[in-house]
Amino acid sequence: MPAVRGDGMRGLAVFISDIRNCKSKEAEIKRINKELANIRSKFKGDKTLDGYQKKKYVCKLLFIFLLGHDIDFGQIEAVNLLSSNKYTEKQIGYLFISVLISGNSELIQLIVQSIKNDLASRNPVHVSLALQCIANIGSKDMAEAFGQEIPKLLVSGDTLDVVKQSAALCLLRLFRTDPSVIPSGEWTSRIVHLLNDQHMGVVTAAASLIDALVKKNPEEYKGCISLAVSRLSRIVTSSYTDFQDYTYYFVPAPWLSVKLLRLLQNYPPPEDPGVRGRLSECLETILNKAQEPPKSKKIQHSNAKNAVLFEAISLIIHNDSEPNLLVRACNQLGQFLSHRETNLRYLALESMCILATSEFSHEAVKKHQETVINALKTERDVSVRQRAVDLLYAMCDKSNAEEIVLEMLAYLETADYSIREEMVLKVAILAEKYATDYKWYVDVILNLIRLAGDYVSEEVWYRVIQIVINRDDVQGYAAKTVFEALQAQACHENMVKVGGYILGEFGNLIAGDARSSPAVQLQLLHSKFHLCSSMTRALLLSTYVKFVNLFPEIKSHVEEIFVADSNLRSADAELQQRASEYLALSKLTSLDVLATVLEEMPPFPEKESSGLLNLLKKKRPGRVIENPDRLDEHVKKEPRETNGTSGLTLASNTEQEGGSADLLGLGVPSAGNGNGPTTNGAGAVTNNIQKFYCKNNGVLYENDIIQIGVKTECRSNLARLALFYGNKTNHPFMNFQPNVSASPALSLAILLQVKQVDSTVEAGAQFQQMVNVECVNDFDEQPDLNLVYNYNGAPQTVNIKLPISINKFIEPTEMNGEAFFSRWKNLSLPAQESQKIFKAAHPMEATDSTKAKLIGYGFQLLENIDPNPDNYVCAGIIHTRSLQIGCLLRLEPNKQAQMYRLTTRSSVEAVSQHITSVLCETLNLPFNNQVE
Amino acid sequence: MIGGLFCYNHKGEVLISRVFRDDIGRNAVDAFRVNIIHARQQVRSPVTNIARTSFFHIKRSNLWLAAVTKQNVNATMVFEFLLKVVEVMQNYFGKISEENVKNNFVLIYELLDEIVDFGYPQNTDTGVLKTFITQQGVKSVTKEEQAAITSQVTGQIGWRREGIKYRRNELFLDVMEYVNLLMSPQGQVLSAHVAGKILMKSYLSGMPECKFGINDKIAMDSKGKPAEESKTKSAIAIDDCQFHQCVKLSKFESEHAISFIPPDGENELMRYRTTKDISLPFRVIPLVREVGRAKLEVKVVVKSNFKPSLLAQKIEIRIPTPLNTSGVQLICMKGKAKYKASENAIVWKIKRMGGMKESQISAEIELLATDTKKKWTRPPISMNFEVPFAPSGFKVRYLKVFEPKLNYSDHDVIKWVRYIGRSGLYETRC
């Protein structure tokens, strides 16, 4: 600010130093009050101030405001400053306004006028100041007021470059508050062509703007790809002397390069072979340049160079199409792995994690395994070590799994506490995923519990037990191993849990050995009993009762344990109950019963360890690098075995949440979560809206990407819909926007209240959205559900109806024949009745299905009322907020003619008609078992 | 039971920290600083509860004094104790300031050890404390002196030692009253009360027994005198009162007589409060007129309302001005008036003013237009003064001194009585 530096404003300096010298808050407030009074007296109407004074006082006000005091005057003076011709005065005026003016101020008109004048000014400095002010305020009003002018400034031929630069950034700011400010059509190409501008500053500013625009509307701005590539190639191939002002420590235009590379990451690799070739060339050149000796020893030089390089590598990874480049990038990163600079090592590890997920570079990444393991062991910075763990996890596959798991286990002992839990999960997942030998797997997990028991979550040890139970061949080995592990002096409680469970199931397999005879097993387990939490004790009690079955010879010992006061009279209800029930079981029942009750656990349903993966994701949301599934490759190499016997990984990865069922609850398989069973095979699009007239829960819509389920609960005139969106694919849905709307007529009759949801649905995930509906009046339409999302880059839309109809608000009403017919007669006006005769589509003998549909629709089925026993008679009351509508219905089958006659009577004509027409169709639908 | 006592400077740095009980941890020190001293919004309540811990604080000049406890203590006891601590410190090293506290911190810790035991306040009488806590360094105490101190501190009359001797037996009594008032613009009294105290300076030999009579209604009635007489003698109704520990409360209960053996030197004998029949020394009559949006005319008349023979002193009237005042013109008949921008008020000072007089000030206040819609809240006009009588009507009827052992009688004692009436919060709305 030359104003303060150069020509003084001594008063301001004195004031500020006074404030700084204040000893206490009170003194400061006093000084400020005094100054405010002084300024007020100066700003009094009858005095005329020159520009300098105005500037000085406005500055003081600004300073006082920044100290946290309210300023409620002086705006006029600041606005006056705007019309000054002096730069410093104008600048202070704009500064005050962008800091202090609130959006709804009365002065906004004046300000807008001043800014307009300045925008039209010939002096570029004034235009720049005005643009700055617009961007600083950046409100919707500003966007409205100047949305027209700034784009013109930006593309007009006679604007100076400096101004264009400001205009581009200002437009970017306005675009963020109000995306409609950017005109479409011809402007698009003109804005895109800014990338061709002579002036590097303009290009840099425009690159940011275009990046934001592209994110919003990728299709429209597709033209920028070739321009960006050519601009990039010009920068990359030039020598640093070509861009005098834009060379930063011998690197030509590093910021612009980075921005262009980022811009290109918004698109898939260019299709045009020419452009594509040029881009590859650029990327290669950047990689080549990294090999050149540095032109300067300054840190800034290498920083700038590496920034461009890393962005280029990101683009290579994003494009994921050129094996050659990917491998080169990988090699380059490999060099950085042993670089002196910690930040570089961190970034290299991070980028490599992504590289490892690409099929082209996976092998190349694996070459650096040694270095990474070394980094894990020797790195000082914990965040870098964390990255190394991530990378090891990502690069792991069948060939190196054993080694990596071994290294990670070895490191676990000394690992930093903050990353231990995550490492444990990763080891558990890897061990399971790539296990070829279950003995190895069991060893790894037991080692894991031994080394880092505290960090082993329940899911991990649940999983071991599931696997051991499902595999006959490891059970003996597992029993032996846990028995040995338990012999350690101090072992972790999780180990006791696993040991207790496994010995309880398979202790008999090692009982033959005298060293691990039943009595020894019991004694060993019981020696740990008293040191454990009540949950573990409960588990051990179950183990003991299993021993009763397995080894009848130690029954008396076990009973002694149950009888012990600490168990039979335990303060813990669970322990007490188990002890007394198990005791009774072992005392009273015959051997046969015991053997049946305490049979070996049935195998668990096969599942992938997605429970663990979910846990990992929960721990570090958004940062988990997937361990890529390389099963396909292995399929090529070796014929894949059948599900039951191959690697532990099994292909199904949808709807596996909570896969590790709770073991202590004795293995109830987890139920589907409110989502009805899938009726149709994938591929076909199902829209079940019709069926929802007669049912409340089920799959509403399904195609091969998404599944939408509905669960409806109704109570009088209120209904609550839970919509379940399930992502059936391996890619997340982006910009996921479900939109529930009602037609104008409908919106008068029902009130919709929709909960907001996240805009991203992770792969394979399912989440629910609640919709509350209140029925105000009767209606015969259904609200729309309009779903928009991006799947794998491509926008998708689903337009369906929400299954909410008037019958959801019917309350079934019981009444006797007399009451029914008297009401039936009361509603005999022609307008109240609606009748339809239609042909039966199904055998009329299927009365159950018809009854079920009528009940499902919401009516009470009144039996034995009609003189003709074949007729169906129903009654119900529709609840709306304004009134209750009684509804009566008769369905008379004519078996000879295979026709139905449906008569509905209600106090509202529209309702009768609606119900008749809907029921006609519904009764003709094929019946399926989902009707509830 | 106080758990701890902390003293902070205005920046929140701890100057004194003394913890008496284990339930108060070090973090309590920080909790007070963070939540009260450095609070975003000024904390106005003197008692704050943070995490089941109560903090009682008072502020003296730039120092914060905070007592902390986890128990449910008598809050008034704690504040009384804090005030006593301040008083003791003032008596030892004068004005309480950061500088003084830092210079005397050893002494302060020594004093704290003496006046609090395990969180229970003990003897806070400066006169007694000074006998064994001195600022002159360690003085070797003889066995006899030590025994005397012990017997005195633990004895029945802990506030006075034996063997005091004066050539002239003198006794000074100051009746000091603070008048608090809130008056409506129309002159209606919204609330008024007098908080009074009697300060006594005694320079008497031996262990004299004193008897003190005041014109309290109950005391006068109980003397068996006819009700009429007490009315003509204008007895006053005291709402509540409290005494120095030397006053024999049992005697006050039974005979309504105030009798005591006075501590030596300066002491506060009694505190009382009255709310009825207060003679207000001054009346403020404000007149505010808004002339358009840019101008305000204020006229304030002050009337003195006491015997013409008396003279009020140190009169100061503070007239708040709106926050958007841009200029003030003042005309006053008497005294000096000035617009103090830093305090947003007009301050009008009059040195002396006799009874039954009146004076007036008129001010023209120019205002600047602002963009806030908030209206000025018009704070009340406040006033400070000092008058040579007791506005409550309090009178000392007699003060008798008996010293059975020494040979001086009531007549030989020279007694002085002085009445001072001061303003407390003396406000008139405008």
Side-chain angles (χ1 to χ4, degrees), chain A residues 110-385:
Chain A
L110 273 174
I111 297 167
V112 165
Q113 193 51 48
S114 294
I115 295 179
K116 274 206 171 122
N117 290 344
D118 277 344
L119 277 185
S121 152
R122 285 160 164 267
N123 189 343
V125 174
H126 292 183
V127 184
S128 290
L129 275 178
L131 285 170
Q132 264 173 31
C133 180
I134 297 171
N136 278 336
I137 296 176
S139 65
K140 267 225 147 69
D141 291 338
M142 284 292 161
E144 274 164 26
F146 301 106
Q148 301 297 318
E149 314 207 358
I150 299 173
K152 275 186 211 154
L153 262 179
L154 184 57
V155 294
S156 125
D158 50 359
T159 329
L160 278 186
D161 291 331
V162 194
V163 177
K164 270 193 187 170
Q165 218 170 318
S166 302
L169 293 175
C170 180
L171 203 55
L172 174 61
R173 175 72 177 85
L174 295 185
F175 175 72
R176 281 179 187 149
T177 40
D178 180 13
S180 67
V181 50
I182 302 284
S184 54
E186 48 162 342
W187 293 101
T188 309
S189 72
R190 297 179 78 171
I191 289 176
V192 166
H193 273 94
L194 284 174
L195 286 179
N196 259 342
D197 200 282
Q198 299 290 317
H199 191 261
M200 293 296 272
V202 176
V203 184
T204 313
S208 297
L209 175 64
I210 292 170
D211 191 46
L213 293 171
V214 161
K215 287 220 164 72
K216 185 85 183 169
N217 194 350
E219 279 309 303
E220 199 179 337
Y221 290 91
K222 230 172 175 165
C224 70
I225 301 177
S226 59
L227 289 177
V229 171
S230 62
R231 173 55 86 173
L232 186 65
S233 85
R234 260 181 284 158
I235 297 171
V236 170
T237 50
S238 71
S239 105
Y240 64 87
T241 45
D242 293 358
F243 306 92
Q244 305 227 314
D245 286 348
Y246 288 85
T247 299
Y248 179 79
Y249 289 89
F250 306 104
V251 183
W255 279 277
L256 181 54
S257 315
V258 166
K259 277 181 183 171
L260 290 172
L261 287 165
R262 284 236 173 109
L263 179 63
L264 288 171
Q265 283 175 45
N266 291 315
Y267 290 104
E271 282 139 21
D272 180 7
V275 178
R276 198 182 177 131
R278 216 158 162 202
L279 178 59
S280 312
E281 220 171 87
C282 288
L283 294 172
E284 252 172 64
T285 321
I286 294 173
L287 287 175
N288 286 339
K289 275 194 183 169
Q291 297 297 331
E292 288 170 15
K295 295 198 175 63
S296 155
K297 277 195 176 145
K298 287 252 168 64
I299 183 91
Q300 288 94 330
H301 171 69
S302 59
N303 274 351
K305 205 162 114 181
N306 291 331
V308 177
L309 179 62
F310 273 107
E311 211 51 57
I313 291 175
S314 303
L315 181 61
I316 293 171
I317 296 170
H318 170 82
N319 285 347
D320 199 12
S321 56
E322 308 249 356
N324 166 35
L325 281 178
L326 280 163
V327 170
R328 280 199 62 185
C330 183
N331 292 339
Q332 183 59 48
L333 291 176
Q335 286 180 16
F336 287 144
L337 281 185
S338 43
H339 201 275
R340 219 157 27 86
E341 189 76 15
T342 312
N343 290 333
L344 271 185
R345 291 198 300 269
Y346 181 95
L347 287 170
L349 285 169
E350 197 178 30
S351 305
M352 266 205 177
C353 279
I354 312 171
L355 271 179
T357 58
S358 162
E359 54 175 318
F360 300 117
S361 53
H362 185 77
E363 288 305 314
V365 172
K366 270 165 71 181
K367 280 186 216 148
H368 302 289
Q369 189 178 323
E370 277 307 310
T371 332
V372 179
I373 288 172
N374 205 31
L376 186 64
K377 285 176 180 157
T378 56
E379 185 60 58
R380 274 217 211 118
D381 189 325
V382 66
S383 59
V384 182
R385 288 201 297 266

Side-chain angles (χ1 to χ4, degrees), chain A residues 23-24 26 29-31 33-34 36-38 40-41 43-46 70-73 75 105-106, chain B residues 10 59 62 322-329 339 341-344 366-374:
Chain A
K23 282 269 175 1
S24 67
E26 288 77 16
I29 290 171
K30 273 193 170 169
R31 180 70 185 89
N33 277 337
K34 196 175 153 198
L36 282 176
N38 175 32
R40 281 195 300 261
S41 70
F43 281 176
K44 217 157 43 176
D46 47 351
D70 283 338
I71 298 294
D72 52 6
F73 64 99
Q75 281 90 341
S105 168
E106 300 156 1
Chain B
H10 68 286
K59 214 180 161 192
N62 267 333
L323 294 176
N324 55 345
T325 304
S326 59
V328 177
Q329 265 97 54
Y339 167 57
S342 58
E343 290 155 46
N344 281 321
E366 286 165 77
L367 304 176
L368 191 78
T370 63
D371 65 344
T372 43
K373 306 283 175 291
K374 256 193 300 180

Side-chain angles (χ1 to χ4, degrees), chain A residues 419-550:
Chain A
I419 61 171
R420 272 198 193 179
E421 188 175 352
E422 209 185 309
M423 278 190 75
V424 166
L425 274 177
K426 284 185 167 157
V427 170
I429 293 170
L430 290 180
E432 183 182 336
K433 203 167 180 180
Y434 297 112
T436 45
D437 177 7
Y438 301 109
K439 291 180 179 168
W440 177 72
Y441 172 71
V442 170
D443 279 343
V444 166
I445 300 293
L446 289 183
N447 255 330
L448 205 57
I449 296 175
R450 193 171 52 77
L451 290 174
D454 283 340
Y455 299 92
V456 175
S457 56
E458 286 184 337
E459 282 80 358
V460 174
W461 70 264
Y462 283 3
R463 192 68 197 142
V464 197
I465 286 172
Q466 285 178 357
I467 286 166
V468 170
I469 285 177
N470 288 4
R471 309 263 169 251
D472 304 334
D473 43 343
V474 277
Q475 289 165 356
Y477 178 77
K480 190 162 152 277
T481 326
V482 288
F483 181 77
E484 278 161 12
L486 281 174
Q487 274 168 334
Q489 274 296 313
C491 57
H492 194 268
E493 194 167 330
N494 278 338
M495 183 68 95
V496 179
K497 285 178 185 165
V498 177
Y501 201 101
I502 289 181
L503 288 182
E505 295 293 325
F506 311 113
N508 55 338
L509 299 179
I510 55 168
D513 195 329
R515 282 167 299 173
S516 55
S517 68
V520 178
Q521 284 184 30
L522 180 66
Q523 203 193 354
L524 180 64
L525 279 179
H526 202 59
S527 67
K528 317 280 183 203
F529 186 84
H530 300 283
L531 302 170
C532 295
S533 67
S534 59
M535 189 187 150
T536 313
R537 287 188 194 191
L539 189 147
L540 284 178
L541 287 181
S542 300
T543 304
Y544 297 160
V545 80
K546 289 225 161 188
F547 278 166
V548 172
N549 178 38
L550 291 179

Side-chain angles (χ1 to χ4, degrees), chain A residues 752-899:
Chain A
L752 287 167
Q753 194 190 1
V754 187
K755 291 269 155 62
Q756 291 301 312
V757 291
D758 282 352
S759 63
T760 310
V761 186
E762 293 298 333
Q766 187 194 47
F767 74 96
Q768 74 170 35
Q769 180 184 30
M770 302 303 295
V771 180
N772 289 325
V773 185
E774 184 182 3
C775 176
V776 180
N777 236 321
D778 62 282
F779 59 96
D780 49 13
E781 294 174 68
Q782 291 179 319
D784 296 299
L785 172 65
N786 181 359
L787 196 61
V788 188
Y789 58 93
N790 278 357
Y791 164 65
N792 216 356
Q796 309 271 337
T797 51
V798 174
N799 285 318
I800 49 175
K801 294 276 186 191
L802 268 192
I804 213 60
S805 45
I806 190 72
N807 63 305
K808 300 293 179 202
F809 305 103
I810 295 182
E811 182 193 8
T813 328
E814 181 73 71
M815 53 179 80
N816 60 23
E818 206 178 308
F820 179 83
F821 284 107
S822 77
R823 287 177 199 203
W824 183 258
K825 286 191 186 102
N826 275 341
L827 293 168
S828 58
L829 290 177
Q832 290 169 333
E833 185 184 276
S834 166
Q835 196 173 66
K836 224 171 196 180
I837 299 170
F838 58 96
K839 196 155 178 63
H842 306 288
M844 286 184 140
E845 285 69 36
T847 51
D848 282 348
S849 108
T850 312
K851 279 179 186 172
K853 279 180 183 171
L854 288 171
I855 293 171
Y857 191 74
F859 281 115
Q860 176 76 41
L861 193 65
L862 306 172
E863 296 193 79
N864 305 325
I865 283 184
D866 202 275
N868 182 352
D870 285 344
N871 289 359
Y872 306 92
V873 178
C874 304
I877 297 172
I878 298 174
H879 287 273
T880 70
R881 190 163 77 184
S882 44
L883 73 166
Q884 301 191 336
I885 305 167
C887 258
L888 304 174
L889 175 143
R890 285 175 86 185
L891 180 68
E892 294 154 290
N894 181 338
K895 287 191 179 162
Q896 280 81 42
Q898 285 287 308
M899 299 284 266

Side-chain angles (χ1 to χ4, degrees), chain B residues 377-424:
Chain B
T377 50
R378 291 205 183 183
I381 296 173
S382 62
M383 186 171 181
N384 288 319
F385 55 80
E386 199 181 299
V387 288
F389 64 94
S392 67
F394 186 96
K395 286 259 154 47
V396 177
R397 285 175 50 230
Y398 57 84
L399 181 70
K400 291 173 187 150
V401 181
F402 308 101
E403 172 47 88
K405 285 183 191 151
L406 296 175
N407 55 350
Y408 71 94
S409 70
D410 188 33
H411 303 292
D412 304 329
V413 180
I414 307 159
K415 296 172 213 161
W416 306 85
V417 178
R418 180 165 69 158
Y419 297 95
I420 304 167
R422 280 195 184 139
S423 57

